[in-house]
Amino acid sequence: MLIILKHGVSSRAIESVVQEVHRVGYRAHVSEGEHTILIGAIGKGPTPELIEHFRALSVVQDVIPISKPYKLASLEFSPKPTVLRWNTGATGGGEVMVAAGPCGVESLEQTLSAARYVKRHGAQMLRGGAFKPRTSPYSFQGMGQEGLEILALARRETGLPIVTEVVSPEQVDLVATYADVLQIGARNAQNFALLQAAGQSGRTVLLKRGMSMTLEEFLMSAEYVLAQGNMKVILVERGIRTFEKSTRFTLDVSAVPVLKSWTHLPVWVDPSHAAGKRDWVASLALAGLAAGADGLIVETHPEPEKAQSDAAQQLTESQFADMMGKVRALLPALGRKLAQELEPA
Ligand code: PEP
Ligand code: MN
């Protein structure tokens, strides 16, 4: 349930409500908005008596039961969209962010080259996996810490924040010392220990939808991060497994408006892993934005044919530039802009 406090209550009053929430066996999450202070009481469905008990406290304005199984992720908990900011732009507030770069970090030269051109063509974030979760144990597993060092160098030169994947809870501290955003991939989307560890790191978490997850299960995974007190989560629709074989996965475009109507968290689309083939990536990116996505995460490689992972789906530089041109052309029709192109407030 969500406990809304009266305007202007003291910090002692807030603390006393938090104590009361704990006393009845619930966890408390305090969020201080501009005009209201909300205390999310997290636990099993409250009884009508418990709701009345909190309503009767003198500092409480109202109590709203949150009906959804995902509590902190729900729009009932936070009706305003969550806006996440970096030096290059923000996501969730109406502007569109693009994270782009190679599937995997393979060398300094490859990563720097990609970082330079994705920035030049309008991306606000650099992606690149240093630890790669591969279907086969015999495939390239990533450069590990050396890859993280390379990403840090690319950030130093370009100023682009970096998003990179973390594949096990033990690695979270290491990856979090380098990354601005921790990616949790589709294959780990229900690795609850990893979700909790990433939540505890305090870093923004970019969470991909598992390939066979319902949207409710997806939000429950996000809830594992949020329940650690870390409200910085980006949800990414990256395609699900269906009977269709022509694409690598089926991009569930409808996930975007559905999620936007259920949650305050930013929703992005990954057209690369859905398409599986570079020629189809731009179309899916545009479809995702048209459906209301707050951002894109796209794979591009200076020499895609030489890529050690996901070679078929990584855009060439010119395809990436072409896609960004189409994104720029589309956004005004949607009443939106690329993040870096917003006028200063
Ligand atoms: C990736 O981003 O390179 C990746 C492995 O993505 P996913 O987890 O969506 O397959
Ligand atoms: Mn990939």
Side-chain angles (χ1 to χ4, degrees), residues 102-104 127 129 132-134 165 183 187 208 238 248 270 272-273 299 309-311 313-314:
C103 177
R127 66 147 287 148
K132 297 301 305 171
R134 304 305 301 282
E165 183 158 357
Q183 175 174 329
R187 290 157 192 80
K208 301 273 198 96
R238 45 77 74 205
R248 189 175 175 196
D270 172 347
S272 305
H273 290 85
E299 289 189 343
S309 56
D310 290 351
Q313 72 195 31
Q314 301 203 55

Side-chain angles (χ1 to χ4, degrees), residues 58-317:
S58 62
V59 293
V60 170
Q61 163 114 26
D62 199 6
V63 179
I64 306 171
I66 299 181
S67 53
K68 302 288 189 303
Y70 46 89
K71 307 289 178 193
L72 300 170
S74 74
L75 267 182
E76 287 163 294
F77 175 74
S78 177
K80 276 203 316 208
T82 290
V83 181
L84 304 174
R85 297 172 203 285
W86 293 270
N87 56 333
T88 52
T91 188
E95 53 290 56
V96 166
M97 267 186 91
V98 177
C103 177
V105 174
E106 294 165 0
S107 70
L108 177 61
E109 196 195 356
Q110 167 244 18
T111 304
L112 269 182
S113 160
R116 288 177 188 139
Y117 77 70
V118 301
K119 181 180 178 181
R120 194 165 63 241
H121 298 307
Q124 293 79 30
M125 195 179 279
L126 175 65
R127 66 147 287 148
F131 294 94
K132 297 301 305 171
R134 304 305 301 282
T135 301
S136 162
Y138 309 118
S139 303
F140 174 62
Q141 304 283 316
M143 290 180 79
Q145 187 162 0
E146 198 186 342
L148 297 174
E149 298 276 357
I150 290 172
L151 287 168
L153 287 173
R155 171 177 51 204
R156 193 179 318 153
E157 190 196 295
T158 59
L160 293 177
I162 54 184
V163 52
T164 192
E165 183 158 357
V166 56
V167 295
S168 76
E170 302 76 45
Q171 276 170 0
V172 167
D173 287 345
L174 173 71
V175 179
T177 55
Y178 291 91
D180 300 278
V181 178
L182 299 178
Q183 175 174 329
I184 296 187
R187 290 157 192 80
N188 266 314
Q190 284 182 311
N191 180 338
F192 302 121
L194 177 60
L195 292 163
Q196 282 171 325
Q200 283 159 14
S201 75
R203 284 270 183 266
T204 300
V205 174
L206 180 141
L207 175 62
K208 301 273 198 96
R209 179 183 183 182
M211 54 190 86
S212 62
M213 264 184 163
T214 66
L215 293 177
E216 191 170 292
E217 286 165 341
F218 189 18
L219 288 180
M220 293 311 289
S221 285
E223 195 76 12
Y224 269 90
V225 178
L226 305 176
Q228 300 302 317
N230 182 351
M231 299 304 284
K232 296 181 289 185
V233 176
I234 300 168
L235 301 166
V236 182
E237 163 57 41
R238 45 77 74 205
I240 51 174
R241 184 144 282 164
T242 68
F243 50 79
E244 182 52 61
K245 293 276 197 331
S246 53
T247 48
R248 189 175 175 196
F249 294 94
T250 299
L251 184 71
D252 181 8
V253 179
S254 40
V256 179
V258 173
L259 288 170
K260 298 286 293 177
S261 70
W262 287 357
T263 180
H264 51 88
L265 297 171
V267 179
W268 289 18
V269 158
D270 172 347
S272 305
H273 290 85
K277 190 169 169 216
R278 64 180 66 85
D279 292 355
W280 301 330
V281 169
S283 303
L284 298 189
L286 297 174
L289 292 176
D294 299 293
L296 298 173
I297 178 163
V298 180
E299 289 189 343
T300 172
H301 190 294
E303 294 176 289
E305 65 289 349
K306 295 195 181 149
Q308 296 195 55
S309 56
D310 290 351
Q313 72 195 31
Q314 301 203 55
L315 300 179
T316 62
E317 177 184 351

Side-chain angles (χ1 to χ4, degrees), residues 317-332:
E317 177 184 351
S318 77
Q319 283 178 315
F320 180 70
D322 186 60
M323 183 199 80
M324 290 304 286
K326 289 178 177 149
V327 166
R328 277 200 189 79
L330 172 69
L331 289 180

Side-chain angles (χ1 to χ4, degrees), residues 1 26 44-56 62-66:
M1 69 193 141
Y26 282 63
K44 53 179 171 24
T47 59
E49 291 74 26
L50 196 62
I51 292 172
E52 277 320 307
H53 169 69
F54 279 97
R55 267 198 191 123
D62 199 6
V63 179
I64 306 171
I66 299 181

Side-chain angles (χ1 to χ4, degrees), residues 5-79:
L5 300 189
K6 285 188 178 152
H7 191 64
V9 293
S10 68
S11 45
R12 266 187 59 201
I14 301 171
E15 191 44 39
S16 70
V17 180
V18 168
Q19 290 305 324
E20 188 57 12
V21 169
H22 290 160
R23 196 187 65 76
V24 298
Y26 282 63
R27 298 234 307 276
H29 182 275
V30 181
S31 50
E32 300 194 22
E34 233 172 288
H35 304 292
T36 42
I37 293 177
L38 306 175
I39 301 179
I42 324 293
K44 53 179 171 24
T47 59
E49 291 74 26
L50 196 62
I51 292 172
E52 277 320 307
H53 169 69
F54 279 97
R55 267 198 191 123
L57 299 180
S58 62
V59 293
V60 170
Q61 163 114 26
D62 199 6
V63 179
I64 306 171
I66 299 181
S67 53
K68 302 288 189 303
Y70 46 89
K71 307 289 178 193
L72 300 170
S74 74
L75 267 182
E76 287 163 294
F77 175 74
S78 177

